[in-house]
Amino acid sequence: MNTEVLLNEFKEYSEHPYRVLTEYKKQGKKVIGVLPYYAPVELVVAAGMVPMTIWGSNKKTISAAKEYCATFYCTIAQLALEMLLDGTLDQLDGIITPTICDTLRPMSQNIRVAMSDKLPCIFLAHPQHRKPSFGLQFTCDQYMHVKAELEKISGKAITDDDLRGAIKVMNRSRKARRDFVKLANDHCDVVSAVNRSAVLRSAWFMEPEVFSEKLEALNAELAALPVCDWKGKKVVTSGIVCDNPNLLQIFDDNKIAIAADDVAQESRAFRVDAAETGDPMMALAQQFADQDYEVLLYDEKSAENRRGEHVAKLVKDSGAQGLVLFMQQFCDPEEMEYPYLKKALDDAGIPHIKLGVDQQMRDFGQASTAIQAFCDVL
């Protein structure tokens, strides 16, 4: 199977998650929706169900969700609720609602109220002090709650062996994605910005084992190709989500390749594996504790500007000439962090551009002009 065929398959999964959901239901599978992010999807896999993460939508308008949401909620959260209310996600068998930010905390309750008679809603609270023993125990307790609720939906007890097997499945998926990101940088003549996003986005909708098999096949195809002598520019992208094909097409039109990313929906999600031996629940708690350089997580060493230095190093290590920051509208944590990130980039001599985005963008004229101008100065 050649590279183009595989890339087109991933694009199909990426652009039509609702078709994927319908197909799973036709096969008699139960599907659990998961709001972003850092939810233990291993528990869903261990229960014999399919996890489907919901990162809003690029193709929806907000109507019914306005009854529940304040106007300053980000569109990721609003559009997730909109799809639950308008019937788009009626085929889900349950949903996990993490509370990782100030918007998702009340949103979890909005979803519970709005969907109380339609969909089991599983509340998940993460600790900010995640590294000390009490933080690890809190995470374990929360995951045990999620486990119990998933067992009710699946009708199946989740054993430690089930969970260890699911950890192996997800570690395989994470490794395949890490390998792909590196190969995409080496072969940006084949893997465009649009295609790169489609491959990584499709991981949230496909059964993990199926996704891993297809991505490993694509990785093998890419590894067999000669490394690209790229004549255009390379950048690193950062933000929560930047998966709009129309926006990413601007990169491709201007010969700008994505060398690496610091995007929550992309590389931040698969940087850290879970231990495959020992207590599997504690392994998942430790995996969450080991997540660092994250805007939404407390960093006891934050005074050292570790995240800014991490992002600057990522740009230099990847061979990129600059960074494009997709700033989610109405995201207080990202806006508050920006001065520290900017300082680290300026200190490292790395040019960057900040673009305000949301998932209801339809006019990309200003973004196109800004990206073109940024490309000219790289």
Side-chain angles (χ1 to χ4, degrees), residues 38-43 124-144 163 167 171 174 272-292 297:
Y38 297 131
V41 295
E42 284 86 350
L43 290 169
L124 170 60
H126 282 110
Q128 285 296 324
H129 287 278
R130 62 197 184 281
K131 294 180 181 289
S133 59
F134 59 83
L136 289 169
Q137 187 58 55
F138 183 90
T139 303
C140 275
D141 292 344
Q142 285 292 305
Y143 287 3
M144 288 297 291
L163 194 46
I167 288 172
N171 280 350
R174 285 185 281 263
V272 181
D273 288 336
E276 297 180 2
T277 58
D279 180 349
M281 197 65 78
M282 182 56 72
L284 291 178
Q286 187 64 56
Q287 179 201 28
F288 174 65
D290 290 340
Q291 297 285 356
D292 284 322
L297 298 180

Side-chain angles (χ1 to χ4, degrees), residues 15-289:
E15 292 181 351
H16 304 289
Y18 319 116
R19 294 182 193 172
V20 179
L21 173 57
T22 298
E23 185 58 33
Y24 289 148
K25 298 306 294 180
K26 286 180 180 178
Q27 296 171 13
K29 295 173 181 174
K30 291 185 177 181
V31 183
I32 301 297
V34 185
L35 289 181
Y37 45 92
Y38 297 131
V41 295
E42 284 86 350
L43 290 169
V44 180
V45 176
M49 298 186 289
V50 181
M52 182 168 283
T53 303
I54 304 165
W55 293 85
S57 169
N58 291 316
K59 299 180 180 179
K60 305 287 288 186
T61 56
I62 299 170
S63 177
K66 289 181 179 179
E67 296 181 22
Y68 296 86
C69 299
T71 55
F72 51 81
Y73 280 13
C74 76
T75 53
I76 297 173
Q78 291 195 57
L79 284 164
L81 179 55
E82 184 73 23
M83 288 188 290
L84 289 166
L85 292 169
D86 71 7
T88 301
L89 299 174
D90 274 356
Q91 297 180 88
L92 290 177
D93 295 281
I95 187 164
I96 300 173
T97 62
T99 58
I100 201 75
C101 73
D102 288 342
T103 295
L104 286 176
R105 288 187 188 98
M107 275 297 297
S108 64
Q109 300 307 309
N110 288 336
I111 290 172
R112 179 173 289 179
V113 170
M115 307 304 295
S116 60
D117 60 341
K118 296 181 180 179
L119 192 69
C121 300
I122 305 172
F123 182 86
L124 170 60
H126 282 110
Q128 285 296 324
H129 287 278
R130 62 197 184 281
K131 294 180 181 289
S133 59
F134 59 83
L136 289 169
Q137 187 58 55
F138 183 90
T139 303
C140 275
D141 292 344
Q142 285 292 305
Y143 287 3
M144 288 297 291
H145 162 68
V146 173
K147 172 179 174 286
E149 294 301 308
L150 289 173
E151 288 174 333
K152 293 177 186 177
I153 297 170
S154 68
K156 173 186 182 298
I158 300 173
T159 67
D160 282 357
D161 285 341
D162 291 333
L163 194 46
R164 289 189 191 98
I167 288 172
K168 290 180 180 179
V169 167
M170 293 311 302
N171 280 350
R172 179 186 177 189
S173 171
R174 285 185 281 263
K175 181 182 184 304
R177 284 179 279 174
R178 290 194 296 267
D179 291 344
F180 170 73
V181 165
K182 294 177 182 177
L183 288 164
N185 187 19
D186 289 338
H187 303 286
C188 42
D189 55 335
V190 176
V191 183
S192 66
V194 172
N195 284 336
R196 181 186 185 278
S197 171
V199 170
L200 296 176
R201 185 171 187 262
S202 64
W204 301 109
F205 310 135
M206 298 172 66
E207 284 186 281
E209 286 185 292
V210 174
F211 172 80
S212 297
E213 289 173 3
K214 286 187 178 296
L215 187 52
E216 286 167 357
L218 175 60
N219 287 345
E221 294 274 352
L222 292 172
L225 298 174
V227 173
C228 167
D229 182 17
W230 183 245
K231 301 300 183 183
K233 304 294 175 63
K234 287 188 176 184
V235 299
V236 166
T237 52
S238 183
I240 293 178
V241 56
C242 51
D243 63 349
N244 192 307
N246 294 317
L247 180 57
L248 293 169
Q249 187 62 47
I250 299 170
F251 286 73
D252 294 333
D253 291 343
N254 288 278
K255 297 292 182 184
I256 302 172
I258 297 176
D261 74 86
D262 168 56
V263 175
Q265 189 205 30
E266 297 180 351
S267 289
R268 282 190 225 165
F270 48 82
R271 284 194 303 225
V272 181
D273 288 336
E276 297 180 2
T277 58
D279 180 349
M281 197 65 78
M282 182 56 72
L284 291 178
Q286 187 64 56
Q287 179 201 28
F288 174 65

Side-chain angles (χ1 to χ4, degrees), residues 293-329:
Y293 316 118
E294 166 59 64
V295 177
L296 298 180
L297 298 180
Y298 172 69
D299 186 351
E300 61 186 12
K301 299 179 180 178
S302 58
E304 301 174 19
N305 199 13
R306 294 201 311 152
R307 190 180 127 68
E309 292 170 359
H310 165 78
V311 174
K313 184 175 185 298
L314 179 63
V315 176
K316 295 201 169 187
D317 290 350
S318 67
Q321 287 91 44
L323 178 134
V324 178
L325 173 62
F326 293 101
M327 178 75 73
Q328 187 71 30
Q329 303 282 22

